[in-house]
């Protein structure tokens, strides 16, 4: 059993044992797990290695690319604007971003962007990762596109462009970029070590993610011009893209947030605790209620899985059997990172790692940790 650092309430001993076992076996290389209840940490554990060579330990302040868990923080930024009366979920996106009305998108609503139902789940090809890192140019390209399905009729996971779309609303309403807004309005006030757009002086704290096992050929035989194929290949990049300085510096609100489990749990404790944490008020109960308004329920056009989306977050569905029913919202990151918010238990759970695992909505390790955490909460 590997040594862990941090703190853990006795009732969460099974969570600690799982992490220690997975680190000892090599299933996890380096990782952190955090659980908060009523905003207070009851689990804050980390251990293992920050590098594949096993030279640098995973430390308290180690951070890594959390992939699509970034989307939850991006969503929270939009919800802060909703709370302040500056963003209307039922308004056309074009009210704030006139160019977005092009090519039949005048009816796309703000709630469609936040629930992956806008019809714009990726870029028209050809497009490269370098193109996506040029956020102003690649965002303008999205505004000029034709939707790939009738907006609002189904979800199609906005894999890499979610932050471009939502972040542009933030920028046009507030004037600040998404990363700066998050830093000044969310993570700064909460004291959370999370970054969308990482400064160079923080690079030495980053644990590079290790690519997951090769994906099954899930797109074999798929329509080359279908929604899934266009989304996954526009662009198609590997996990090692996140090792590059250009990736770290960019503000990719769908995929390049850097943080750890502690920071993700801290941020999302605001939702778990009714919108206020340690005197920082970001949301009201009414805005939190909007998260749980179901916007779609069925096979996702990109991922293929049966998903339910609310506003900005996934809701429990057949695709995530490790989540109990209840007033729960969540999302995962490629390879296994996850953040789960339970407003009934007033709990937030997060897991962040550098050895990416197989699986579409979390890895086998993700399921282990989340199930153990809920068993302790119950």
């Amino acid at each position: 059993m590997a040594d862990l650092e941090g703190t853990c309430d006795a009732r969460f001993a099974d969570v600690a044992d799982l992490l220690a076992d997975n680190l000892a076996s090599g299933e996890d290389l380096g990782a952190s797990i955090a659980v908060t209840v009523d905003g207070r940490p009851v689990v804050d554990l980390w251990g293992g290695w920050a590098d594949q060579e096993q030279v640098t330990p995973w430390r308290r302040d180690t951070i890594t690319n959390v992939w699509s868990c970034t989307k939850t923080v991006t969503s929270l930024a939009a919800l802060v604007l909703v709370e302040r009366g500056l963003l209307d979920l039922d308004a056309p996106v074009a009210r704030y971003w006139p160019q977005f009305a092009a090519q039949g998108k005048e009816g796309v609503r703000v709630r469609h962007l936040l629930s992956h139902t806008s019809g714009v789940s990726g870029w028209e090809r050809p497009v490269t990762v370098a193109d996506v890192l040029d956020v102003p140019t690649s965002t303008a390209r999205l505004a000029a596109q034709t939707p790939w399905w009738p907006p609002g009729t189904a979800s199609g996971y906005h894999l890499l462009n979610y932050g471009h779309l939502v972040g542009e609303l933030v920028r046009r309403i507030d004037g600040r970029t998404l990363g700066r807004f998050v830093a000044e309005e969310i993570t700064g006030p909460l004291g959370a070590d999370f970054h969308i757009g990482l400064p160079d002086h923080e690079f030495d704290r980053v644990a590079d993610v290790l690519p997951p096992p090769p994906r099954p050929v899930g797109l074999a035989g798929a329509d080359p011009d279908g929604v899934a194929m266009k989304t996954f290949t526009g662009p198609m990049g590997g996990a090692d893209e996140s090792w590059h300085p250009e990736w770290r510096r960019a503000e990719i609100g769908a995929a390049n947030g850097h943080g750890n489990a502690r920071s993700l749990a801290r941020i999302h404790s605001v939702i778990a605790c009714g919108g206020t944490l340690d005197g920082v008020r970001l949301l009201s109960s009414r805005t939190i209620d909007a998260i749980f308004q179901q916007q779609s329920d069925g096979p996702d056009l990109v991922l293929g899985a049966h998903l339910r989306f609310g506003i900005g977050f996934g809701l429990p569905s057949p695709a995530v059997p490790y989540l109990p029913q209840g007033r729960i919202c969540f999302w995962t990151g490629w390879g296994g990172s996850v953040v789960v918010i339970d407003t009934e238990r007033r709990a937030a759970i997060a897991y962040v790692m550098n050895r990416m695992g197989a699986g579409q909505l979390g890895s086998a390790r993700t399921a282990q940790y989340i199930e153990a955490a809920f068993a302790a909460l119950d």
Side-chain angles (χ1 to χ4, degrees):
M1 186 176 289
D3 292 334
L4 301 178
E5 294 189 71
T7 59
C8 181
D9 187 280
R11 62 181 164 145
F12 292 88
D14 286 349
V15 176
D17 289 345
L18 280 170
L19 178 58
D21 288 345
N22 282 333
L23 289 168
S25 71
E27 288 292 317
D28 266 314
L29 176 63
S32 59
I33 295 179
V35 182
T36 63
V37 177
D38 288 322
R40 306 275 69 83
V42 292
V43 177
D44 183 11
L45 294 171
W46 63 91
W49 301 96
D51 58 335
Q52 188 171 12
E53 295 76 23
Q54 301 188 13
V55 171
T56 304
W58 185 292
R59 300 187 172 95
R60 185 181 191 279
D61 68 345
T62 296
I63 56 177
T64 193
N65 194 114
V66 302
W67 298 109
S68 287
C69 285
T70 312
K71 292 180 173 74
T72 64
V73 182
T74 296
S75 297
L76 181 56
L79 289 168
V80 169
L81 294 179
V82 171
E83 175 66 24
R84 295 174 182 175
L86 300 173
L87 181 62
D88 183 346
L89 293 172
D90 290 312
V93 173
R95 175 186 296 180
Y96 311 99
W97 181 6
Q99 296 86 344
F100 193 80
Q103 300 297 323
K105 299 195 300 302
E106 63 277 358
V108 177
R109 307 284 169 174
V110 171
R111 65 174 60 247
H112 295 151
L113 292 191
L114 285 165
S115 61
H116 302 268
T117 62
S118 75
V120 186
S121 59
W123 284 269
E124 294 286 0
R125 300 165 295 188
V127 61
T128 66
V129 172
D131 293 333
V132 171
L133 298 183
D134 180 351
V135 174
T137 301
S138 55
T139 300
R141 286 183 60 174
L142 294 170
Q145 289 184 196
T146 302
W148 293 342
W149 70 91
T153 60
S155 73
Y157 184 51
H158 294 17
L159 183 72
L160 197 53
N161 68 342
Y162 187 83
H164 290 68
L165 295 169
V166 177
E168 185 66 5
L169 290 178
V170 172
R171 188 187 71 81
R172 286 176 177 264
I173 291 168
D174 179 81
R176 287 173 284 184
T177 65
L178 174 65
R180 183 179 167 199
F181 183 90
V182 166
E184 294 178 359
E185 299 292 339
I186 299 175
T187 60
L190 291 175
D193 185 12
F194 190 89
H195 313 265
I196 301 177
L198 190 67
D200 285 21
H201 65 266
E202 303 284 11
F203 285 7
D204 61 354
R205 296 196 290 128
V206 176
D208 286 339
V209 294
L210 303 183
R215 292 176 178 173
V217 188
L219 293 175
D223 179 356
D225 293 315
V227 171
M229 184 68 79
K230 288 195 292 187
T231 302
F232 276 111
T233 61
M236 179 174 277
D240 56 355
E241 294 287 351
S242 68
W243 303 348
H244 301 151
E246 296 80 9
W247 174 272
R248 294 178 181 175
R249 294 183 188 120
E251 295 185 12
I252 309 301
N256 87 329
H258 284 74
N260 49 35
R262 182 187 314 107
S263 60
L264 281 176
R266 173 75 177 170
I267 292 165
H268 293 91
S269 292
V270 169
I271 298 172
C273 294
T276 301
L277 182 64
D278 293 339
V280 178
R281 184 183 183 279
L282 295 182
L283 306 176
S284 65
S285 59
R286 180 177 179 180
T287 302
I288 292 172
D289 288 345
I291 294 171
F292 298 94
Q293 295 172 3
Q294 180 175 289
Q295 304 298 303
S296 66
D297 181 5
D300 184 86
L301 299 178
V302 172
L303 297 181
H306 185 142
L307 298 178
R308 294 172 60 232
F309 280 110
I311 297 293
F313 292 81
L315 305 177
S317 76
V320 278
Y322 56 83
L323 288 180
Q325 293 301 306
R327 203 163 181 265
I328 291 169
C329 61
F330 82 105
W331 200 244
T332 63
W334 184 23
S337 58
V338 68
V339 60
V340 180
I341 307 106
D342 187 323
T343 62
E344 294 169 331
R345 296 173 178 86
R346 293 173 63 86
I349 308 165
Y351 161 59
V352 168
M353 75 296 132
N354 57 355
R355 188 186 296 285
M356 297 170 65
Q360 190 176 70
L361 293 167
S363 68
R365 283 170 276 147
T366 310
Q368 286 181 323
Y369 297 134
I370 297 301
E371 288 173 346
F374 272 110
L377 287 168
D378 289 338

